[in-house]
Amino acid sequence: MKLIIAIVSNHDVGDLLLDFSRHGIRATKLASSGGFLREGNTTLLIGVDDGKVDQVLDRIKEKCSARTITRTDIIGMHDSPLFNLVPLEVEISGATVFILPIDSMQKY
């Protein structure tokens, strides 16, 4: 068995969970937030048999694609009238996935 921990953008998580439901994949959803862009994301905990790992990864790859977004950042001293708002293009990943071995999973 494996524990898949997927950190997914809030932008993608709704479609991913709907897709999981259609394919019989169960996940536990935890609210989380990112550090770099301070954007909301969701951490999914998915316990699966070894043979279903590729199916779950395929679903994640299909629904959570990397993309480029434009952010406006302040360049200069924040407490000075001499600063500029500069648009920055930032590439964000669709999902970050960790796969861990587990000895067993119990459902009660």
Side-chain angles (χ1 to χ4, degrees), residues 16-78:
L16 179 61
L17 289 173
L18 184 59
D19 190 68
F20 276 3
S21 178
R22 289 181 180 145
H23 288 89
I25 300 167
R26 300 175 75 169
T28 299
K29 177 181 168 184
L30 305 172
S32 53
S33 62
F36 176 62
L37 295 175
R38 294 181 204 90
E39 299 242 338
N41 57 43
T42 300
T43 300
L44 300 175
L45 303 177
I46 309 148
V48 296
D49 291 323
D50 290 344
K52 292 189 176 185
V53 170
D54 289 337
Q55 177 190 8
V56 173
L57 294 178
D58 288 344
R59 308 278 26 107
I60 294 171
K61 288 176 192 174
E62 182 180 317
K63 296 296 179 182
C64 306
S65 59
R67 62 189 157 276
T68 301
I69 61 169
T70 302
R71 303 273 307 212
T72 303
D73 244 350
I74 297 175
I75 304 296
M77 298 181 67
H78 297 281

